[in-house]
Amino acid sequence: TTLFPITDNPWADELYYGDLSSLNGYTSFVDSFPAPTVNPDSLYDFYVTEVAPFGSFESGYPIEVYIDYDHSGVFDPPSSGELAFDQTATSVSLPTATDTVRIPHDAMLGLTGMRVMIGIYYSSPLDPCGTGWDNNGEIRDYLINIDYHPCNAAPNAGTATTTDSLMC
């Protein structure tokens, strides 16, 4: 499932060299796209494609996705379970990293922050609240909506039966 559109190299040019360079690689897309709905205890294929200015490519660096499952407003360290995706893109011909992400059954429902990070010249795991990137990578924030699967029919409680004919 592709959750968000992928931008191309002109965006990377602006982020690295142009009008957006003062952002130090950070961009918020929380108001740019409708939040896609994901369901607890469900699997989703994530695809993150690395883009770089002038078509250059940096291979072997971490591409990570953090999801604020507890709605604390902070992306917690990797050991907390909020690091949902930790991969690398390996070459110019394969700039997309992929992984399957399971939304935990106990994730809080509702609008939820999701941070996508690419850390050029950094090692994994990336600090989800790190600063000072100096454009060596990119941090993007999005929203997802965690909600139960919709019902597609009336619930069926079933029928209880017993073979015991004695009653007290």
Side-chain angles (χ1 to χ4, degrees):
T1 302
T2 300
L3 297 179
F4 297 98
I6 297 169
T7 57
D8 58 11
N9 285 2
W11 173 261
D13 291 341
E14 281 298 307
L15 194 59
Y16 195 80
Y17 301 110
D19 294 336
L20 302 176
S21 64
S22 65
L23 298 175
N24 292 324
Y26 174 79
T27 311
S28 174
F29 288 97
V30 298
D31 295 325
S32 300
F33 304 106
T37 297
V38 295
N39 308 120
D41 233 6
S42 296
L43 296 173
Y44 295 90
D45 293 328
F46 276 45
Y47 302 86
V48 180
T49 299
E50 180 180 329
V51 296
F54 304 116
S56 62
F57 178 83
E58 303 288 346
S59 66
Y61 295 105
I63 299 174
E64 297 177 349
V65 176
Y66 285 83
I67 300 175
D68 186 19
Y69 292 123
D70 63 4
H71 290 195
S72 67
V74 174
F75 295 99
D76 297 328
S79 61
S80 71
E82 289 192 356
L83 176 59
F85 177 104
D86 183 13
Q87 297 295 319
T88 60
T90 56
S91 70
V92 174
S93 61
L94 297 169
T96 300
T98 64
D99 201 359
T100 301
V101 173
R102 178 182 295 276
I103 304 301
H105 72 278
D106 59 350
M108 292 189 71
L109 302 179
L111 288 177
T112 303
M114 181 175 79
R115 176 163 286 174
V116 179
M117 305 171 72
I118 297 175
I120 308 301
Y121 307 121
Y122 291 87
S123 59
S124 180
L126 300 171
D127 178 357
C129 296
T131 58
W133 284 62
D134 299 324
N135 294 327
N136 290 323
E138 191 171 350
I139 302 169
R140 293 182 174 195
D141 284 344
Y142 298 92
L143 290 175
I144 59 174
N145 182 39
I146 300 176
D147 200 3
Y148 293 122
H149 288 277
C151 293
N152 56 9
N156 180 356
T159 304
T161 59
T162 183
T163 58
D164 187 357
S165 60
L166 297 177
M167 192 171 177
C168 50

